[in-house]
Amino acid sequence: MKAPWWISSMTGGADKAGMINANLAKAAKKYGLGMGLGSCRPVLEQTESAGDFKIRSLIGDQPLFANLGIAQLEELFANNQTNKVNELINSLEADGLIIHVNPLQEWFQPEGDKFRFSSIDTIKRCIDAFQFPLMVKEVGQGMGPKSLKTLLELPLEAVDYGAFGGTNFCTS
Ligand SMILES: Cc1cc2nc3c(=O)[nH]c(=O)nc-3n(C[C@H](O)[C@H](O)[C@H](O)COP(=O)(O)O)c2cc1C
C-alpha cells in the first residue's frame, strides 16, 4: 500500500453496489490503497448481484478482502459448508476475509440473524479452518477491553474498529 488507508466495507446488497465497488477499486488502484468489500453474502448465495463484487481486474495488485458476517460463518460451520468460503475467496481473487461482528445490530432487527455460539468461538474456528489471512471488523456497537485483548492475542491480520463513531445501528 502507498498510504495507510483502508477502504472499509459498506456495500453488501446495496442497489448501486456494483458501480460503487468499481469506483472504489479504481481509486484504490490509483492511490495504492487496500479495500474490503461489503458483505459478500450475495456471492455465497449466488444471487443476481454476485457480479457486483468482482473487482480484482479493476483494483490490480492492491490488497482486496472479501467480507462475511459472523452469523453466516456460524451457519456454514453448522452445515459443514466451509468449503464455500474457500470458493468465495477464489472466485473473487481476494487476499483474505473480513469477518464482521454485529450481534447487537442483528438482535435489533426483527429479521436479524440469531446466534448459537459466541463470536469469539466462531472466529477461532475460522482461524483453524482457513489458510488465508483474516481480519475482524466491529461495525458500530463497540467492544469491551476483554474482547479487544482476546482478539489482539489471535493471529489476525487486523482488527477494524468502528466503535461509537458516526454510525450506530442500534441508536440511530
Ligand atoms: C449502510 C451501511 C452498510 C454497511 N454495510 C456493511 C457491510 O456490508 N459489511 C461490513 O463489514 N460493514 C458494513 N457497514 C459498517 C461500516 O463499514 C462501519 O464499520 C460502520 O458504519 C461504523 O463506522 P462509522 O461510524 O464510520 O460509520 C455498513 C454501514 C452502513 C452505514
Side-chain angles (χ1 to χ4, degrees), residues 98-160:
I98 297 171
I99 304 168
H100 68 261
V101 180
N102 60 344
L104 197 60
Q105 181 189 350
E106 298 293 354
W107 193 81
F108 266 83
Q109 298 176 94
E111 75 285 10
D113 292 310
K114 303 284 179 293
F115 293 85
R116 285 194 296 144
F117 300 100
S118 77
S119 299
I120 196 70
D121 288 342
T122 304
I123 290 167
K124 285 178 180 166
R125 291 184 85 178
C126 290
I127 291 172
D128 289 341
F130 304 129
Q131 303 303 313
F132 43 78
L134 295 171
M135 292 189 200
V136 170
K137 182 173 176 212
E138 180 281 314
V139 290
Q141 80 279 311
M143 271 182 189
K146 267 194 188 169
S147 302
L148 281 173
K149 188 170 180 288
T150 310
L151 282 180
L152 292 173
E153 284 165 358
L154 297 176
L156 297 167
E157 196 73 4
V159 176
D160 180 332

